[in-house]
Amino acid sequence: MSIFPGNVLVIDDQFNIGYQANEPEELSGRTQWENFRKLKHLFDENGFCYSVITETTDIEYIRRQLQKYQNIRLLILDLDLDESGEVEETDEEMVKQIIYASLDTFGYYFLAINSSYAEKWDEIREGMLEELRKDELKNRRKIHFLEHFCIALNKTNTEIEQALLGLLSDKFSHELITQFECHLNEARDKALSPFLDFTSSTWEQLYKILREDIDSKEHVNFTLNNFLFGLLKQQIVGSNYSVPADNNVPIDNELHQNIIRGFNYLSNTTGYLDKHPVWTGNIYYSEITDKRERYLLIITPECDIAQSKGMGYTVVTGFEADFPDGYKPEDYKDVDTIPVMVEMAGKKADGNWKSKSDIENFYGKGIGYYQLLHASTNSRHIIFDLRSVKRISDISAEKYSLLLRVNEPVITDISDKLSSIINRKGVPRLVPKNYMKL
């Protein structure tokens, strides 16, 4: 299996020197030639697929070329792009634009500055970071990239191969993400070829069978994709990763929240889900007056939606976890505006609002409430009251916007808990409370 997860892109106007069989006579030419030969050897020996851009004077041309590539995981970039023999302001500006455009296009990648003027990279990088930190919240991803995903190597470096390979295992997160992609690539090679059809219409027949029972082609496509993803999952079931070493480095709370959100929800921030039919797990949001019903969760079973059974959709309502910092029950004794979490939990027998621990137990251990972590519009938790089930005939007619879709296995867990609430039976106690104690 390849140890590299994707493709390599080299942007260097002199890279073609590396294809020459004979060593150039000039010292500068020999340095470039040896450097590029080492890179080619690294690519060939490890099965790296690579592409090269040697026309580096036109940034718009480079931008257009970037759009043609996919799955670039290593960008090897020269600093002297205008062929002047030194790194000028125009070069620096082009380097910045290439880095940012590549982030937008490829999602994530490792950057290796490979230049005879590699010492200039620190200055360029610090200038970029200084500009980005003026709006640190907005530019957090770019800052993180520049701080952790970049190295600078001089073209005289004889250890360039080891330095580039070291990027893949420098951190556990690097290994986890890159090696998962490698496992996925290998799974594609193994999983799908047995299901190609050359002489019959078996897949066409399967599509027709699904279409007979499923209302829309979007739902058929969703079903087929689930089947194909299942084939891939079977092939990577034995994939393993290194056990991370213990260290005292603090966790990144924002990254932790993003991991929770990424695993549990499909966000609609780009409007992507608006193009798809209403589906089980969709959460809708509205700035309605009643804060207890600002969120709606579709719990209609997928099969009913796909087959258009019944009229409308079954939903449960939810509200945002708005527990105030420094909460004291006495502070809300004679206050008109009560936090929803406090109000829903209710008062004690003495007429005072419940304590913090009582409220935590009410939502955490009580029957009927389900918390979705960091799912609200501002990444707070959403609390759904599974007993607040109601029917909506047309979700598009309501003043709600689609926020996200809850993924498996969370949506199944919600359905199971909803079922246990609806179907639960109370059994009369015919013995003393301590009857069963050992």
Side-chain angles (χ1 to χ4, degrees):
M1 185 185 75
S2 172
I3 61 173
F4 192 72
N7 303 316
V8 180
L9 177 62
V10 180
I11 302 180
D12 194 314
D13 63 297
Q14 299 294 315
F15 193 80
N16 287 337
I17 294 175
Y19 295 104
Q20 297 178 10
N22 298 322
E23 182 179 359
E25 295 182 1
E26 295 183 4
L27 178 61
S28 61
R30 286 203 303 272
T31 300
Q32 300 257 34
W33 182 78
E34 290 174 356
N35 176 265
F36 297 144
R37 299 282 284 189
K38 284 181 179 294
L39 286 178
K40 286 181 79 286
H41 180 266
L42 171 68
F43 302 155
D44 294 338
E45 283 297 304
N46 293 282
F48 294 3
C49 296
Y50 70 97
S51 303
V52 181
I53 297 177
T54 56
E55 171 51 62
T56 61
T57 59
D58 185 351
I59 186 61
E60 293 306 319
Y61 169 79
I62 295 175
R63 284 179 177 277
R64 291 194 299 271
Q65 290 300 106
L66 291 177
Q67 296 299 320
K68 297 179 181 179
Y69 301 116
Q70 291 182 329
N71 200 33
I72 297 297
R73 291 295 174 256
L74 175 61
L75 173 61
I76 299 177
L77 179 62
D78 189 21
L79 293 182
D80 178 19
L81 297 173
D82 63 2
E83 305 176 19
S84 65
E86 57 183 317
V87 181
E88 302 169 319
E89 288 186 11
T90 54
D91 293 308
E92 294 182 14
E93 185 58 34
M94 289 180 70
V95 166
K96 295 176 187 178
Q97 293 190 44
I98 290 170
I99 291 172
Y100 293 150
S102 298
L103 269 177
D104 291 338
T105 303
F106 308 132
Y108 89 92
Y109 65 96
F110 299 98
L111 172 66
I113 299 297
N114 183 43
S115 174
S116 300
Y117 310 94
E119 70 280 355
K120 290 282 293 181
W121 168 244
D122 284 341
E123 180 184 332
I124 296 171
R125 187 177 74 103
E126 286 306 314
M128 296 170 70
L129 287 170
E130 182 179 353
E131 184 67 27
L132 292 170
R133 284 173 179 144
K134 292 178 181 178
D135 192 344
E136 193 156 351
L137 186 62
K138 176 183 176 182
N139 298 317
R140 190 173 184 278
R141 178 168 167 264
K142 293 177 180 176
I143 293 171
H144 182 78
F145 172 80
L146 290 171
E147 289 179 338
H148 301 288
F149 282 73
C150 310
I151 61 171
L153 303 169
N154 194 286
K155 287 184 176 178
T156 59
N157 190 323
T158 59
E159 306 295 327
I160 187 170
E161 296 165 289
Q162 291 83 352
L164 292 178
L165 290 175
L167 280 172
L168 304 181
S169 57
D170 181 49
K171 292 186 177 182
F172 177 72
S173 62
H174 291 185
E175 179 197 342
L176 177 65
I177 302 301
T178 61
Q179 293 313 295
F180 171 75
E181 282 202 75
C182 289
H183 294 314
L184 190 59
N185 290 339
E186 186 182 29
R188 288 187 300 186
D189 292 339
K190 292 180 179 180
L192 301 180
S193 58
F195 295 91
L196 290 174
D197 186 0
F198 300 99
T199 59
S200 69
S201 299
T202 308
W203 279 108
E204 287 83 350
Q205 175 66 13
L206 180 62
Y207 185 94
K208 291 177 182 177
I209 293 172
L210 292 173
R211 194 68 176 88
E212 288 173 358
D213 293 334
I214 298 177
D215 180 60
S216 70
K217 62 182 179 66
E218 288 84 4
H219 291 133
V220 174
N221 294 339
F222 187 79
T223 302
L224 289 172
N225 284 335
N226 279 340
F227 171 72
L228 295 172
F229 279 127
L231 296 177
L232 294 178
K233 289 168 67 175
Q234 294 172 26
Q235 294 297 330
I236 61 175
V237 67
S239 301
N240 292 304
Y241 306 97
S242 300
V243 177
D246 292 332
N247 56 55
N248 296 321
V249 179
I251 68 167
D252 184 327
N253 288 322
E254 185 172 341
L255 175 59
H256 190 198
Q257 289 186 20
N258 287 338
I259 290 172
I260 293 171
R261 290 172 59 86
F263 272 90
N264 294 334
Y265 320 120
L266 177 59
S267 176
N268 194 41
T269 52
T270 61
Y272 171 76
L273 289 175
D274 292 333
K275 304 173 185 177
H276 295 261
V278 177
W279 198 246
T280 310
N282 278 11
I283 292 181
Y284 296 85
Y285 171 77
S286 175
E287 285 281 356
I288 62 175
T289 303
D290 191 345
K291 293 182 178 181
R292 295 171 295 182
E293 297 187 355
R294 287 193 170 175
Y295 295 90
L296 298 181
L297 170 64
I298 302 289
I299 56 171
T300 306
E302 293 179 359
C303 57
D304 287 353
I305 295 178
Q307 299 176 41
S308 293
K309 289 183 178 180
M311 297 293 293
Y313 304 97
T314 306
V315 302
V316 293
T317 62
F319 54 90
E320 193 173 291
D322 60 347
F323 198 80
D325 293 332
Y327 168 78
K328 295 180 181 179
E330 57 268 24
D331 292 342
Y332 294 89
K333 188 171 183 179
D334 298 313
V335 178
D336 293 332
T337 305
I338 309 297
V340 178
M341 285 187 69
V342 176
E343 185 178 15
M344 293 287 286
K347 295 182 177 181
K348 297 190 297 184
D350 60 6
N352 292 318
W353 296 108
K354 291 180 179 178
S355 66
K356 179 181 178 181
S357 60
D358 287 340
I359 293 174
E360 288 174 344
N361 288 331
F362 179 81
Y363 293 111
K365 299 179 181 179
I367 297 175
Y369 290 99
Y370 197 100
Q371 295 186 46
L372 285 178
L373 304 180
H374 307 297
S376 76
T377 55
N378 55 9
S379 295
R380 288 183 176 179
H381 309 327
I382 301 176
I383 300 175
F384 283 99
D385 184 353
L386 300 184
R387 294 161 299 191
S388 64
V389 180
K390 63 181 182 179
R391 198 80 170 163
I392 292 181
S393 58
D394 183 6
I395 196 72
S396 62
E398 304 288 331
K399 295 180 179 180
Y400 283 85
S401 58
L402 179 55
L403 179 63
L404 54 84
R405 179 177 295 169
V406 182
N407 294 333
E408 292 287 0
V410 177
I411 187 60
T412 296
D413 187 44
I414 294 173
S415 299
D416 290 346
K417 286 182 169 55
L418 176 68
S419 178
S420 68
I421 290 171
I422 294 175
N423 297 320
R424 75 184 190 276
K425 284 284 187 179
V427 179
R429 181 170 57 85
L430 304 177
V431 296
K433 290 183 179 180
N434 61 352
Y435 190 82
M436 292 297 293
K437 287 186 178 181
L438 298 179

